[in-house]
Amino acid sequence: PLSGIENTTKDNIWLAYELYRPSDETGYLVAFRRKNNKDRNYTVKLGGLNPDKTYILRNCDSDEEIKKTGKQLSTGLTLTSDRPETCLLYKISVVGKAT
């Protein structure tokens, strides 16, 4: 969990998870903006990534890509959703490996 483990059923929060498999350096970032959340932006700090490697986060809906180092992702990535009751899904992969 990237958004904590307390009060995960509240309808005014962002709920975010990172699912990462170090063995093949791939994973997913999933974030939900709940219906009564008024914040269009939410910052998460990813864990388990190699700080010296570069990663691509590909939005599974729009194919937009974010390219950052593991160190940058561990210090904060701002997610944006213009509408409540939406979900963001990103595929995480290290640069130089098949996706």
Coordinates of all heavy atoms in Angstrom, one line a residue:
P1 N 0.8 -1.2 0.0 CA 0.0 0.0 0.0 C 0.9 1.3 0.0 O 1.8 1.3 0.7 CB -0.8 -0.1 1.3 CG -0.4 -1.3 2.0 CD 0.7 -2.0 1.2
L2 N 0.5 2.2 -0.8 CA 1.2 3.5 -0.9 C 0.5 4.6 -0.2 O 1.1 5.7 0.1 CB 1.5 3.9 -2.4 CG 2.3 2.9 -3.2 CD1 2.3 3.3 -4.7 CD2 3.7 2.9 -2.7
S3 N -0.8 4.4 0.1 CA -1.6 5.4 0.8 C -1.9 5.1 2.2 O -2.8 5.7 2.8 CB -2.9 5.6 0.0 OG -3.5 4.4 -0.2
G4 N -1.2 4.1 2.8 CA -1.4 3.8 4.2 C -2.4 2.6 4.3 O -3.0 2.2 3.3
I5 N -2.6 2.1 5.5 CA -3.5 1.0 5.7 C -4.6 1.3 6.6 O -5.5 0.5 6.9 CB -2.7 -0.2 6.2 CG1 -2.0 0.1 7.5 CG2 -1.7 -0.8 5.2 CD1 -1.4 -1.1 8.2
E6 N -4.7 2.6 7.1 CA -5.8 3.0 7.9 C -6.9 3.6 7.1 O -6.6 4.4 6.2 CB -5.3 4.0 9.0 CG -4.3 3.3 10.0 CD -3.8 4.3 11.0 OE1 -4.6 5.2 11.3 OE2 -2.8 4.1 11.6
N7 N -8.1 3.4 7.5 CA -9.3 4.0 6.9 C -9.4 3.8 5.4 O -9.7 4.8 4.7 CB -9.3 5.5 7.2 CG -9.4 5.7 8.7 OD1 -10.2 5.1 9.4 ND2 -8.6 6.7 9.2
T8 N -9.1 2.7 4.9 CA -9.1 2.4 3.4 C -10.5 2.4 2.9 O -10.6 2.3 1.6 CB -8.3 1.1 3.1 OG1 -9.0 0.0 3.8 CG2 -6.9 1.2 3.5
T9 N -11.5 2.4 3.7 CA -12.9 2.3 3.1 C -13.5 3.7 3.1 O -14.7 3.8 2.6 CB -13.8 1.4 4.0 OG1 -13.8 1.9 5.3 CG2 -13.2 0.0 4.0
K10 N -12.9 4.7 3.5 CA -13.4 6.1 3.4 C -13.6 6.5 2.0 O -12.9 6.1 1.1 CB -12.5 7.1 4.1 CG -12.4 6.9 5.6 CD -11.4 7.8 6.2 CE -12.0 9.1 6.7 NZ -11.1 9.9 7.4
D11 N -14.7 7.3 1.7 CA -15.0 7.7 0.3 C -14.4 9.0 -0.1 O -14.7 9.5 -1.1 CB -16.5 7.6 0.1 CG -17.2 8.7 0.8 OD1 -16.6 9.4 1.6 OD2 -18.5 8.7 0.6
N12 N -13.5 9.6 0.8 CA -12.9 10.9 0.5 C -11.4 10.8 0.4 O -10.7 11.8 0.6 CB -13.3 11.9 1.5 CG -12.8 11.6 2.9 OD1 -12.3 10.5 3.1 ND2 -12.8 12.6 3.8
I13 N -10.9 9.7 0.0 CA -9.4 9.5 0.0 C -9.0 9.0 -1.4 O -9.8 8.6 -2.3 CB -8.9 8.4 1.0 CG1 -9.5 7.0 0.7 CG2 -9.3 8.9 2.4 CD1 -8.9 5.9 1.5
W14 N -7.7 9.1 -1.6 CA -7.0 8.4 -2.7 C -6.5 7.0 -2.1 O -6.1 7.0 -0.9 CB -5.8 9.1 -3.2 CG -6.0 10.2 -4.2 CD1 -6.3 11.5 -4.0 CD2 -5.8 10.0 -5.6 NE1 -6.4 12.1 -5.2 CE2 -6.1 11.3 -6.2 CE3 -5.5 9.0 -6.5 CZ2 -6.0 11.5 -7.6 CZ3 -5.4 9.2 -7.8 CH2 -5.7 10.4 -8.4
L15 N -6.6 6.0 -2.8 CA -6.2 4.7 -2.4 C -5.2 4.2 -3.4 O -5.6 4.1 -4.6 CB -7.3 3.7 -2.2 CG -7.0 2.3 -1.7 CD1 -6.5 2.4 -0.3 CD2 -8.3 1.5 -1.7
A16 N -3.9 3.9 -3.1 CA -2.9 3.5 -4.0 C -2.1 2.3 -3.6 O -1.8 2.2 -2.4 CB -2.0 4.7 -4.3
Y17 N -1.8 1.5 -4.5 CA -1.0 0.3 -4.3 C 0.1 0.1 -5.3 O -0.1 0.5 -6.5 CB -1.8 -1.0 -4.4 CG -2.8 -1.2 -3.2 CD1 -4.1 -0.6 -3.3 CD2 -2.4 -1.9 -2.1 CE1 -4.9 -0.8 -2.2 CE2 -3.3 -2.0 -1.0 CZ -4.5 -1.5 -1.1 OH -5.4 -1.7 -0.1
E18 N 1.2 -0.4 -4.9 CA 2.3 -0.8 -5.8 C 2.5 -2.3 -5.7 O 2.6 -2.9 -4.6 CB 3.6 -0.1 -5.4 CG 4.8 -0.5 -6.2 CD 6.1 0.0 -5.7 OE1 6.1 0.6 -4.6 OE2 7.1 -0.2 -6.4
L19 N 2.4 -2.9 -6.9 CA 2.7 -4.4 -7.0 C 3.9 -4.6 -7.8 O 3.9 -4.4 -9.0 CB 1.5 -5.1 -7.6 CG 0.1 -4.7 -7.0 CD1 -1.0 -5.1 -7.9 CD2 0.0 -5.5 -5.7
Y20 N 5.0 -4.9 -7.2 CA 6.3 -4.9 -7.9 C 7.0 -6.3 -7.7 O 7.1 -6.7 -6.5 CB 7.2 -3.8 -7.5 CG 8.5 -3.7 -8.2 CD1 8.5 -3.3 -9.5 CD2 9.7 -4.1 -7.6 CE1 9.7 -3.2 -10.2 CE2 10.9 -4.0 -8.3 CZ 10.9 -3.6 -9.6 OH 12.1 -3.5 -10.3
R21 N 7.5 -6.8 -8.7 CA 8.2 -8.1 -8.7 C 9.7 -7.9 -9.0 O 10.1 -7.7 -10.2 CB 7.6 -9.1 -9.6 CG 8.2 -10.5 -9.5 CD 7.4 -11.5 -10.3 NE 7.0 -11.0 -11.6 CZ 6.1 -11.6 -12.4 NH1 5.5 -12.6 -12.0 NH2 5.9 -11.1 -13.6
P22 N 10.6 -7.9 -8.0 CA 12.0 -7.6 -8.2 C 12.7 -8.6 -9.2 O 13.6 -8.3 -9.8 CB 12.6 -7.7 -6.8 CG 11.5 -7.5 -5.9 CD 10.3 -8.0 -6.6
S23 N 12.2 -9.9 -9.2 CA 12.8 -10.9 -10.0 C 12.9 -10.6 -11.5 O 13.8 -10.9 -12.1 CB 12.1 -12.3 -9.8 OG 10.8 -12.2 -10.2
D24 N 11.9 -9.9 -12.0 CA 11.9 -9.5 -13.4 C 11.8 -8.0 -13.6 O 11.6 -7.5 -14.7 CB 10.9 -10.3 -14.2 CG 9.5 -9.9 -13.9 OD1 9.2 -9.1 -13.0 OD2 8.6 -10.5 -14.6
E25 N 11.8 -7.3 -12.5 CA 11.8 -5.8 -12.5 C 10.6 -5.2 -13.2 O 10.7 -4.3 -14.0 CB 13.1 -5.2 -13.1 CG 14.3 -5.6 -12.3 CD 15.6 -5.1 -12.9 OE1 15.9 -5.5 -14.0 OE2 16.3 -4.4 -12.2
T26 N 9.4 -5.8 -12.9 CA 8.2 -5.3 -13.5 C 7.1 -5.3 -12.4 O 7.2 -5.9 -11.4 CB 7.6 -6.2 -14.6 OG1 7.3 -7.5 -14.1 CG2 8.6 -6.4 -15.8
G27 N 6.1 -4.5 -12.7 CA 5.0 -4.4 -11.7 C 3.9 -3.5 -12.2 O 3.8 -3.1 -13.4
Y28 N 3.0 -3.1 -11.2 CA 1.9 -2.2 -11.5 C 1.8 -1.2 -10.4 O 2.0 -1.5 -9.2 CB 0.6 -3.0 -11.7 CG 0.6 -3.7 -13.0 CD1 1.0 -5.1 -13.1 CD2 0.1 -3.1 -14.2 CE1 1.0 -5.7 -14.3 CE2 0.1 -3.8 -15.4 CZ 0.5 -5.1 -15.4 OH 0.5 -5.8 -16.6
L29 N 1.3 0.0 -10.7 CA 0.9 1.0 -9.8 C -0.6 1.2 -10.0 O -1.0 1.4 -11.2 CB 1.7 2.3 -10.0 CG 1.2 3.5 -9.3 CD1 1.2 3.4 -7.8 CD2 2.0 4.7 -9.8
V30 N -1.4 1.0 -9.0 CA -2.9 1.2 -9.1 C -3.3 2.2 -8.1 O -2.9 2.2 -6.9 CB -3.6 -0.2 -8.7 CG1 -5.1 0.0 -8.9 CG2 -3.0 -1.3 -9.5
A31 N -4.1 3.2 -8.6 CA -4.6 4.3 -7.7 C -6.1 4.5 -8.0 O -6.5 4.6 -9.1 CB -3.8 5.5 -7.9
F32 N -6.8 4.7 -6.9 CA -8.2 5.0 -7.0 C -8.5 6.4 -6.4 O -8.1 6.6 -5.2 CB -9.1 4.0 -6.3 CG -8.8 2.6 -6.7 CD1 -7.9 1.8 -6.1 CD2 -9.6 2.1 -7.8 CE1 -7.7 0.5 -6.6 CE2 -9.4 0.8 -8.2 CZ -8.4 0.0 -7.6
R33 N -9.2 7.2 -7.1 CA -9.7 8.5 -6.5 C -11.1 8.3 -6.1 O -12.0 8.1 -7.0 CB -9.5 9.6 -7.5 CG -10.0 11.0 -6.8 CD -9.8 12.1 -7.8 NE -10.4 13.3 -7.2 CZ -10.7 14.4 -7.9 NH1 -10.2 14.5 -9.1 NH2 -11.3 15.4 -7.3
R34 N -11.4 8.2 -4.8 CA -12.8 8.0 -4.4 C -13.7 9.1 -4.6 O -13.3 10.2 -4.9 CB -12.7 7.6 -2.9 CG -11.9 6.4 -2.5 CD -12.8 5.1 -2.6 NE -12.1 3.9 -2.5 CZ -11.8 3.3 -1.3 NH1 -12.2 3.8 -0.2 NH2 -11.3 2.1 -1.3
K35 N -15.0 8.8 -4.6 CA -16.0 9.7 -5.1 C -16.1 11.1 -4.3 O -16.5 12.1 -4.9 CB -17.4 9.1 -5.1 CG -18.0 8.8 -3.7 CD -19.4 8.2 -3.9 CE -20.1 8.0 -2.5 NZ -21.4 7.5 -2.7
N36 N -15.8 11.1 -3.1 CA -15.8 12.4 -2.4 C -14.5 13.1 -2.1 O -14.3 13.9 -1.3 CB -16.6 12.2 -1.0 CG -18.0 12.0 -1.2 OD1 -18.7 12.5 -2.1 ND2 -18.6 11.1 -0.4
N37 N -13.5 12.6 -2.9 CA -12.1 13.2 -2.8 C -12.1 14.4 -3.6 O -12.4 14.4 -4.8 CB -11.1 12.2 -3.2 CG -9.7 12.7 -3.1 OD1 -9.2 13.5 -3.9 ND2 -9.0 12.3 -2.0
K38 N -11.6 15.5 -3.0 CA -11.6 16.8 -3.7 C -10.2 17.1 -4.3 O -10.0 18.2 -5.0 CB -12.0 17.9 -2.8 CG -13.4 17.7 -2.3 CD -14.0 18.9 -1.6 CE -15.3 18.7 -1.0 NZ -16.3 18.0 -1.7
D39 N -9.2 16.3 -4.1 CA -7.8 16.5 -4.5 C -7.6 15.8 -5.9 O -7.5 14.6 -5.9 CB -6.8 16.1 -3.5 CG -7.0 16.8 -2.2 OD1 -7.2 18.0 -2.2 OD2 -6.9 16.1 -1.1
R40 N -7.3 16.6 -6.9 CA -7.1 16.0 -8.2 C -5.6 15.4 -8.3 O -5.3 14.6 -9.2 CB -7.3 17.0 -9.4 CG -6.4 18.2 -9.4 CD -6.7 19.1 -10.5 NE -6.6 18.6 -11.8 CZ -5.5 18.7 -12.6 NH1 -4.5 19.3 -12.2 NH2 -5.6 18.2 -13.8
N41 N -4.7 15.8 -7.4 CA -3.4 15.3 -7.4 C -3.1 14.5 -6.1 O -3.6 14.9 -5.0 CB -2.4 16.5 -7.4 CG -2.5 17.2 -8.7 OD1 -2.6 16.6 -9.8 ND2 -2.5 18.5 -8.6
Y42 N -2.3 13.5 -6.2 CA -1.9 12.7 -5.1 C -0.4 12.2 -5.3 O -0.1 11.7 -6.4 CB -2.8 11.5 -4.9 CG -2.5 10.7 -3.6 CD1 -2.8 11.3 -2.4 CD2 -2.0 9.5 -3.7 CE1 -2.6 10.5 -1.2 CE2 -1.7 8.7 -2.5 CZ -2.0 9.3 -1.3 OH -1.8 8.6 -0.2
T43 N 0.4 12.4 -4.3 CA 1.8 12.0 -4.5 C 2.1 10.7 -3.8 O 1.7 10.5 -2.6 CB 2.8 13.1 -3.9 OG1 2.5 14.3 -4.7 CG2 4.2 12.7 -4.1
V44 N 2.7 9.8 -4.5 CA 3.1 8.5 -3.9 C 4.6 8.3 -4.0 O 5.3 8.9 -4.8 CB 2.4 7.3 -4.7 CG1 0.9 7.4 -4.5 CG2 2.8 7.3 -6.1
K45 N 5.1 7.5 -3.1 CA 6.6 7.2 -3.1 C 6.7 5.7 -3.3 O 6.3 4.9 -2.4 CB 7.2 7.6 -1.8 CG 7.2 9.1 -1.5 CD 7.8 9.5 -0.2 CE 7.7 11.0 0.0 NZ 8.3 11.4 1.3
L46 N 7.2 5.3 -4.5 CA 7.3 3.9 -4.8 C 8.5 3.3 -4.0 O 9.5 3.9 -3.7 CB 7.5 3.7 -6.3 CG 6.3 3.7 -7.1 CD1 5.6 5.0 -7.1 CD2 6.5 3.3 -8.5
G47 N 8.4 2.0 -3.7 CA 9.4 1.3 -3.0 C 9.9 0.1 -3.8 O 9.3 -0.4 -4.7
G48 N 11.1 -0.4 -3.4 CA 11.6 -1.7 -3.9 C 12.3 -1.5 -5.2 O 12.8 -2.5 -5.8
L49 N 12.4 -0.3 -5.8 CA 13.1 -0.1 -7.0 C 14.5 0.2 -6.8 O 14.9 0.7 -5.8 CB 12.4 1.1 -7.8 CG 10.9 1.0 -8.0 CD1 10.4 2.3 -8.7 CD2 10.5 -0.2 -8.8
N50 N 15.3 -0.1 -7.8 CA 16.8 0.2 -7.8 C 17.0 1.7 -8.0 O 16.6 2.2 -9.1 CB 17.5 -0.7 -8.8 CG 19.0 -0.5 -8.8 OD1 19.5 0.6 -8.6 ND2 19.7 -1.6 -9.0
P51 N 17.6 2.4 -7.1 CA 17.7 3.8 -7.2 C 18.5 4.3 -8.4 O 18.3 5.4 -9.0 CB 18.3 4.3 -5.9 CG 18.9 3.1 -5.3 CD 18.1 1.9 -5.8
D52 N 19.4 3.4 -8.9 CA 20.3 3.7 -10.0 C 19.8 3.3 -11.4 O 20.4 3.6 -12.4 CB 21.7 3.1 -9.8 CG 22.3 3.5 -8.5 OD1 22.2 4.7 -8.2 OD2 22.9 2.7 -7.8
K53 N 18.6 2.6 -11.4 CA 18.1 2.2 -12.7 C 17.0 3.2 -13.1 O 16.4 3.9 -12.3 CB 17.5 0.8 -12.6 CG 18.6 -0.2 -12.5 CD 18.1 -1.6 -12.7 CE 19.3 -2.6 -12.7 NZ 18.8 -4.0 -12.9
T54 N 16.7 3.2 -14.4 CA 15.6 4.0 -15.0 C 14.4 3.1 -15.3 O 14.5 2.0 -15.8 CB 16.1 4.7 -16.3 OG1 17.2 5.6 -15.9 CG2 15.0 5.6 -16.8
Y55 N 13.2 3.7 -14.9 CA 12.0 2.9 -15.1 C 11.0 3.7 -16.0 O 11.0 4.9 -16.0 CB 11.3 2.7 -13.7 CG 12.1 1.8 -12.9 CD1 13.1 2.3 -12.1 CD2 11.9 0.4 -12.8 CE1 13.9 1.5 -11.3 CE2 12.7 -0.4 -12.0 CZ 13.7 0.1 -11.2 OH 14.4 -0.7 -10.4
I56 N 10.2 2.9 -16.7 CA 9.1 3.5 -17.5 C 7.8 3.1 -16.8 O 7.6 1.9 -16.5 CB 9.1 3.0 -18.9 CG1 10.4 3.6 -19.6 CG2 7.8 3.5 -19.6 CD1 10.5 3.2 -21.0
L57 N 6.9 4.0 -16.5 CA 5.6 3.8 -16.1 C 4.6 4.1 -17.2 O 4.5 5.3 -17.6 CB 5.2 4.6 -14.8 CG 5.8 4.1 -13.5 CD1 7.3 4.3 -13.4 CD2 5.1 4.8 -12.4
R58 N 4.0 3.1 -17.8 CA 3.1 3.3 -18.9 C 1.6 3.2 -18.4 O 1.2 2.2 -17.9 CB 3.3 2.2 -20.0 CG 2.4 2.4 -21.2 CD 2.6 1.4 -22.3 NE 2.5 0.0 -21.8 CZ 1.3 -0.6 -21.6 NH1 0.2 0.0 -21.8 NH2 1.3 -1.9 -21.1
N59 N 0.9 4.3 -18.7 CA -0.5 4.4 -18.4 C -1.2 3.4 -19.2 O -1.2 3.4 -20.5 CB -1.0 5.8 -18.6 CG -2.5 5.9 -18.2 OD1 -3.3 5.2 -18.5 ND2 -2.7 7.0 -17.4
C60 N -1.9 2.4 -18.6 CA -2.5 1.3 -19.4 C -3.8 1.8 -20.2 O -4.2 1.1 -21.1 CB -2.9 0.2 -18.4 SG -1.5 -0.7 -17.8
D61 N -4.3 2.9 -19.9 CA -5.5 3.5 -20.6 C -5.0 4.4 -21.7 O -5.6 4.3 -22.8 CB -6.4 4.2 -19.6 CG -7.1 3.3 -18.7 OD1 -7.5 2.2 -19.1 OD2 -7.1 3.7 -17.5
S62 N -4.1 5.2 -21.5 CA -3.7 6.2 -22.5 C -2.4 5.9 -23.3 O -2.1 6.6 -24.2 CB -3.6 7.6 -21.9 OG -2.5 7.6 -21.0
D63 N -1.6 5.0 -22.8 CA -0.3 4.6 -23.3 C 0.7 5.8 -23.1 O 1.8 5.7 -23.5 CB -0.3 4.2 -24.8 CG -0.8 2.8 -25.0 OD1 -0.7 2.0 -24.1 OD2 -1.4 2.5 -26.1
E64 N 0.4 6.8 -22.3 CA 1.3 7.8 -21.9 C 2.4 7.2 -21.0 O 2.1 6.3 -20.2 CB 0.6 9.0 -21.2 CG 1.5 10.1 -20.7 CD 0.7 11.1 -19.9 OE1 -0.5 11.1 -19.9 OE2 1.4 11.9 -19.2
E65 N 3.6 7.7 -21.2 CA 4.7 7.1 -20.4 C 5.4 8.1 -19.6 O 5.6 9.3 -20.0 CB 5.8 6.4 -21.4 CG 5.2 5.2 -22.1 CD 6.3 4.5 -22.9 OE1 7.4 5.1 -23.2 OE2 6.0 3.3 -23.3
I66 N 5.8 7.7 -18.4 CA 6.6 8.5 -17.5 C 7.9 7.8 -17.3 O 8.0 6.6 -17.1 CB 5.9 8.6 -16.1 CG1 4.6 9.3 -16.2 CG2 6.8 9.4 -15.1 CD1 3.7 9.2 -15.0
K67 N 9.0 8.5 -17.5 CA 10.4 7.9 -17.4 C 11.1 8.6 -16.3 O 11.4 9.8 -16.3 CB 11.1 8.0 -18.7 CG 12.4 7.3 -18.8 CD 12.9 7.4 -20.3 CE 14.1 6.6 -20.5 NZ 14.6 6.7 -21.9
K68 N 11.5 7.8 -15.2 CA 12.2 8.4 -14.1 C 13.1 7.3 -13.5 O 12.9 6.1 -13.7 CB 11.2 8.8 -13.0 CG 10.3 10.0 -13.4 CD 9.6 10.5 -12.2 CE 8.8 11.7 -12.6 NZ 9.5 13.0 -12.6
T69 N 14.1 7.7 -12.7 CA 15.0 6.8 -12.0 C 14.2 6.2 -10.8 O 13.3 6.8 -10.3 CB 16.3 7.5 -11.6 OG1 15.9 8.5 -10.6 CG2 17.0 8.1 -12.7
G70 N 14.7 5.1 -10.3 CA 14.2 4.5 -9.1 C 14.3 5.5 -7.9 O 13.4 5.6 -7.1
K71 N 15.4 6.3 -7.9 CA 15.5 7.3 -6.8 C 14.5 8.4 -6.9 O 13.9 8.7 -5.9 CB 16.9 7.9 -6.9 CG 17.2 8.9 -5.8 CD 18.6 9.5 -5.8 CE 18.7 10.5 -4.7 NZ 20.1 11.0 -4.7
Q72 N 14.2 8.9 -8.1 CA 13.1 9.9 -8.3 C 11.8 9.3 -7.9 O 11.0 10.0 -7.2 CB 13.1 10.3 -9.8 CG 14.3 11.1 -10.2 CD 14.3 11.4 -11.7 OE1 14.1 10.5 -12.5 NE2 14.5 12.7 -12.1
L73 N 11.5 8.1 -8.3 CA 10.2 7.5 -7.9 C 10.0 7.2 -6.5 O 8.9 7.3 -5.9 CB 10.0 6.2 -8.7 CG 9.8 6.4 -10.3 CD1 10.0 5.0 -11.0 CD2 8.5 7.1 -10.6
S74 N 11.2 7.0 -5.8 CA 11.1 6.8 -4.3 C 10.9 8.1 -3.5 O 10.5 8.0 -2.4 CB 12.3 6.0 -3.8 OG 13.5 6.9 -3.9
T75 N 11.2 9.2 -4.2 CA 11.0 10.5 -3.5 C 9.7 11.1 -3.8 O 9.3 12.0 -3.1 CB 12.2 11.5 -3.8 OG1 12.2 11.7 -5.2 CG2 13.5 10.9 -3.3
G76 N 9.0 10.6 -4.8 CA 7.6 11.1 -5.0 C 7.3 11.2 -6.5 O 8.0 11.7 -7.3
L77 N 6.1 10.7 -6.8 CA 5.5 10.7 -8.1 C 4.1 11.3 -7.9 O 3.3 10.7 -7.1 CB 5.4 9.4 -8.8 CG 4.7 9.2 -10.1 CD1 5.4 10.0 -11.2 CD2 4.5 7.8 -10.4
T78 N 3.7 12.4 -8.6 CA 2.4 12.9 -8.4 C 1.5 12.3 -9.5 O 1.7 12.4 -10.7 CB 2.5 14.5 -8.6 OG1 3.3 15.0 -7.5 CG2 1.1 15.1 -8.4
L79 N 0.4 11.8 -9.0 CA -0.6 11.2 -9.8 C -1.7 12.3 -10.0 O -2.0 13.0 -9.0 CB -1.2 9.9 -9.2 CG -0.2 8.8 -8.9 CD1 -0.9 7.7 -8.1 CD2 0.4 8.3 -10.2
T80 N -2.4 12.3 -11.1 CA -3.4 13.3 -11.4 C -4.6 12.6 -12.0 O -4.5 11.8 -13.0 CB -2.9 14.4 -12.3 OG1 -1.8 15.0 -11.7 CG2 -4.0 15.4 -12.6
S81 N -5.8 12.9 -11.4 CA -7.1 12.5 -12.0 C -8.0 13.6 -11.9 O -8.3 14.2 -10.8 CB -7.6 11.3 -11.2 OG -8.9 10.9 -11.7
D82 N -8.6 14.1 -13.0 CA -9.5 15.2 -13.0 C -10.9 14.9 -12.4 O -11.6 15.8 -12.1 CB -9.7 15.8 -14.4 CG -8.4 16.4 -14.9 OD1 -7.6 16.9 -14.1 OD2 -8.1 16.3 -16.1
R83 N -11.2 13.7 -12.3 CA -12.6 13.3 -11.9 C -12.5 12.3 -10.7 O -11.8 11.3 -10.8 CB -13.4 12.7 -13.0 CG -13.7 13.6 -14.1 CD -14.5 13.0 -15.2 NE -13.7 11.9 -15.8 CZ -14.2 10.6 -15.9 NH1 -15.4 10.3 -15.5 NH2 -13.4 9.7 -16.4
P84 N -13.4 12.5 -9.7 CA -13.5 11.5 -8.7 C -14.1 10.2 -9.3 O -14.6 10.2 -10.4 CB -14.5 12.1 -7.7 CG -14.4 13.6 -7.9 CD -14.1 13.7 -9.4
E85 N -14.0 9.1 -8.6 CA -14.5 7.8 -9.0 C -13.8 7.4 -10.3 O -14.4 6.9 -11.2 CB -16.0 7.8 -9.2 CG -16.8 8.0 -7.9 CD -18.3 7.8 -8.0 OE1 -18.9 8.6 -8.7 OE2 -18.7 6.7 -7.5
T86 N -12.5 7.6 -10.3 CA -11.7 7.1 -11.4 C -10.5 6.3 -10.8 O -10.2 6.3 -9.6 CB -11.1 8.2 -12.2 OG1 -10.4 9.1 -11.4 CG2 -12.2 9.0 -13.0
C87 N -9.9 5.5 -11.8 CA -8.8 4.6 -11.4 C -7.6 4.9 -12.4 O -7.9 5.1 -13.6 CB -9.2 3.2 -11.5 SG -7.9 2.0 -11.3
L88 N -6.4 4.9 -11.9 CA -5.2 4.9 -12.7 C -4.5 3.6 -12.6 O -4.3 3.1 -11.5 CB -4.3 6.1 -12.2 CG -4.9 7.5 -12.3 CD1 -3.9 8.5 -11.6 CD2 -5.2 7.9 -13.7
L89 N -4.0 3.1 -13.7 CA -3.2 1.9 -13.7 C -2.0 2.1 -14.6 O -2.1 2.4 -15.8 CB -4.1 0.7 -14.3 CG -3.4 -0.6 -14.5 CD1 -3.0 -1.2 -13.1 CD2 -4.3 -1.6 -15.2
Y90 N -0.8 1.9 -14.0 CA 0.4 2.0 -14.7 C 1.2 0.7 -14.6 O 1.3 0.1 -13.6 CB 1.3 3.1 -14.0 CG 0.8 4.5 -14.2 CD1 0.0 5.1 -13.3 CD2 1.3 5.2 -15.3 CE1 -0.5 6.4 -13.5 CE2 0.8 6.5 -15.5 CZ 0.0 7.1 -14.6 OH -0.5 8.4 -14.8
K91 N 1.8 0.3 -15.8 CA 2.7 -0.8 -15.8 C 4.1 -0.3 -15.6 O 4.5 0.7 -16.2 CB 2.6 -1.5 -17.2 CG 3.7 -2.6 -17.4 CD 3.1 -3.9 -17.7 CE 4.2 -4.9 -18.1 NZ 4.8 -5.6 -17.0
I92 N 4.8 -0.9 -14.7 CA 6.2 -0.5 -14.3 C 7.2 -1.5 -15.0 O 7.0 -2.7 -14.9 CB 6.4 -0.5 -12.8 CG1 5.4 0.3 -12.1 CG2 7.8 -0.2 -12.5 CD1 5.4 0.1 -10.6
S93 N 8.2 -0.9 -15.7 CA 9.2 -1.8 -16.2 C 10.5 -1.0 -16.2 O 10.5 0.2 -16.3 CB 8.9 -2.3 -17.6 OG 8.6 -1.2 -18.5
V94 N 11.6 -1.8 -16.1 CA 12.9 -1.1 -16.1 C 13.3 -0.9 -17.6 O 13.0 -1.7 -18.5 CB 13.9 -2.0 -15.3 CG1 14.3 -3.3 -16.1 CG2 15.2 -1.3 -15.0
V95 N 14.0 0.2 -17.9 CA 14.5 0.5 -19.2 C 15.5 -0.6 -19.6 O 16.4 -1.0 -18.9 CB 15.1 1.9 -19.3 CG1 15.8 2.1 -20.6 CG2 14.0 2.9 -19.0
G96 N 15.3 -1.1 -20.8 CA 16.3 -2.1 -21.4 C 15.8 -3.5 -21.3 O 16.4 -4.4 -21.8
K97 N 14.6 -3.7 -20.7 CA 14.1 -5.1 -20.6 C 12.8 -5.1 -21.3 O 12.1 -4.1 -21.5 CB 13.8 -5.5 -19.1 CG 15.1 -5.7 -18.4 CD 14.8 -6.8 -17.3 CE 16.1 -7.1 -16.6 NZ 16.0 -8.3 -15.8
A98 N 12.4 -6.2 -21.8 CA 11.1 -6.4 -22.6 C 10.0 -6.1 -21.6 O 10.0 -6.4 -20.5 CB 11.0 -7.8 -23.1
T99 N 8.9 -5.4 -22.2 CA 7.8 -5.1 -21.4 C 6.6 -6.0 -21.6 O 6.3 -6.5 -22.5 CB 7.3 -3.6 -21.7 OG1 7.1 -3.5 -23.1 CG2 8.4 -2.6 -21.2

